[in-house]
Amino acid sequence: RSKSAGRNCFTIYDEAMSAELEARNTLEGDLRDAIARCQLEVHYQPFFDVTSTERRGFEALVRWRHPARGLIRPDQFIPLAEETGLIVPLGEWVLRRACEDAAAWPSGERVAVNLSPVQFKEAELFDVICAALEDSGLPPERLEIEITESVLLERGVENLAFMERLKSIGVELALDDFGTGYSSLSYLTAFPFDRIKIDKSFIRSLTLRPHSAAIISSIVTLARGLDMSVTAEGVETQEQFDRLKTLGVNFAQGYLLGRPQPIAQIGPEMAAVRARLDAA
Ligand code: C2E
Ligand code: MG
Ligand code: MG
Ligand code: MG
């Protein structure tokens, strides 16, 4: 009896596995098509100088407009894209799109692009970034690259050299989701970051747990000592914004200040420029 139950369990497990595998294969095929058929979109979320409340630029965030499933957020396809290597063409597409869009902004504001650790393993990444800048005409000083701590753990030496090359042409570097990874604070001193982005989990607990304010405060102190600035991500309430300002955070980003929006909605002025370019 227990044997047959065991076998049944195995069968069910097996079927569930193959269903999952099938769904994954479908998604992978769809994603491959999506890149070819231009179903990907870049949305832009503004970030602001906390002291002057001036807008300083936008972060580029990819979305997939799936014909049947609607708008899909990156958390649902970036991991698959990373496993299959599709992140390389996808990431290059996002980078080029973001540089082209930003080059047309009349305000001279910056654009921040997220890069996957998988893209970092590609020897051509530096040339890809240079080509995106050259082809779009975006000055390198207006491009910011966001990377997560995992990039520092693997291949630290190679990545350090790559980051220094980027800095030498004027591109800025931000450490994303700070506080969620495994890297020690010493990593911060070893890599040439311009900015640290404090993960939104710390911002969320800021007004709930006293420890969060202490953590943010020490990140600000550390960043100052290293000549880096600090961005708070996921700012949703005025109360959070006010606390962050008191704590000395330099930049803020979050739903309170603006959600990620398609290019056509981030400002009539910018959209007008884009439309002129598209018509030309
Ligand atoms: P991230 O780079 O840390 O981006 C911030 C995420 O927080 C975005 O989610 C943004 O929509 C969300 N967010 C912004 N403000 C708030 C807020 O006030 N409250 C809350 N709850 N969330 C807020 P999104 O767009 O879903 O992107 C998720 C992640 O996917 C990004 O996290 C980034 O790691 C990755 N990603 C997005 N676009 C790309 C891309 O082009 N390439 C790569 N490699 N990764 C990307
Ligand atoms: Mg980011
Ligand atoms: Mg982040
Ligand atoms: Mg994140």
Side-chain angles (χ1 to χ4, degrees), residues 159-180:
N159 290 338
L160 177 60
F162 170 77
M163 288 161 74
E164 260 150 13
R165 276 178 94 190
L166 276 184
K167 293 224 31 135
S168 74
I169 61 165
V171 172
E172 294 211 334
L173 292 169
L175 180 57
D176 207 353
D177 300 340
F178 185 69
T180 57

Side-chain angles (χ1 to χ4, degrees), residues 59-61 112-115 146-148 176-177 197 233 253:
E59 178 173 4
L61 295 159
V113 177
N114 295 283
L115 289 190
E146 295 192 3
I147 56 176
T148 51
D176 207 353
D177 300 340
K197 296 188 78 175
E233 60 173 34
Q253 185 178 352

